[in-house]
Structure formats: structure tokens, C-alpha cells
Amino acid sequence: MAALAKASGALKSVDYEVFGRVQVVSVLALIVLSHYFPNQYTEQEAKKLGVVGWVKNTSQGTVTGQVQGPEEKVNEMKSWLTKVGSPSSRIDKTNFSNEKEISKLDFSDFNTRY
């Protein structure tokens, strides 16, 4: 990833929070699946794009996290978080904050936090 980042130019970091129907809501499903949906899709998309960071379900029913990587790849991930998401999600809005250029990546992979 470091070689890719250097070759691609500027590195970018952004925090995000996704609102809508973004988590499995039944109690049984929440117990069994809350660590997989939609986080598994977010993690897969991030790894496909080659960005690093994390994703986490919140107790308020949103999904939050941080993405870092080459600017164009972070922008692709932002678009995915705004328009696509997991197959079972309905995205009402996505807030981005703390968007900035960074000199190095703080993460070596993209993972789900619990």
C-alpha cells in the first residue's frame, strides 16, 4: 500500500457516518449478524479499492468509520458510502468530516471494529 500511495500522489483521510437503514435491526439477527452487515460489504469495497481504515456500527443505528489512501481512491469510497452501501441498506445521508491531506497512512489494512 505504501508504494501505491507514493505513486498515486496525495494521501487523504476522511471520517464518515452513514444514516438510514444501515444495520440489521431484528434482535436475533443483531446478535448473530451485526458484526457482518453492512460492515462486511464496506470492508470488501475498501479492500477492493485499496484504501485503509475502519468501520463500526454505532448504538444509534448508524455506521461510522475512517478511510485513508490515495485521494482518488478515497473519493471513490466516499461515493460508494453515499450512493451504494450494502445490498440491504437504504442510505438517507452520509456525513463526512475531518477531511484532510495526510503525509502517511495511520493504518495498514481496512477492518471492522466492535
Side-chain angles (χ1 to χ4, degrees), residues 34-75:
S34 66
H35 299 302
Y36 301 103
F37 295 99
N39 297 345
Q40 82 174 38
Y41 295 101
T42 305
E43 194 170 321
Q44 286 173 353
E45 185 67 16
K47 289 180 178 186
K48 182 178 97 175
L49 291 174
V51 295
V52 298
W54 56 274
V55 61
K56 179 180 180 176
N57 292 337
T58 71
S59 58
Q60 295 80 30
T62 65
V63 172
T64 188
Q66 186 176 75
V67 177
Q68 295 183 349
E71 184 172 11
E72 66 277 2
K73 297 298 182 183
V74 170
N75 289 339

Side-chain angles (χ1 to χ4, degrees), residues 1 4 8 10 12-14 16 18 41-42 44-52 67-85 91 94 96 99 110:
M1 177 51 125
L4 172 66
S8 300
K12 191 175 188 180
S13 177
V14 65
Y16 62 88
V18 183
Y41 295 101
T42 305
Q44 286 173 353
E45 185 67 16
K47 289 180 178 186
K48 182 178 97 175
L49 291 174
V51 295
V52 298
V67 177
Q68 295 183 349
E71 184 172 11
E72 66 277 2
K73 297 298 182 183
V74 170
N75 289 339
E76 287 180 50
M77 189 68 187
K78 284 175 63 178
S79 179
W80 186 87
L81 288 164
T82 302
K83 300 174 185 171
V84 182
I91 299 169
T94 305
F96 296 101
E99 191 162 343
F110 195 96

Side-chain angles (χ1 to χ4, degrees), residues 19-38:
F19 297 81
R21 192 185 72 225
V22 293
Q23 292 186 27
V24 178
V25 291
S26 80
V27 174
L28 179 59
L30 190 57
I31 292 167
V32 176
L33 299 174
S34 66
H35 299 302
Y36 301 103
F37 295 99

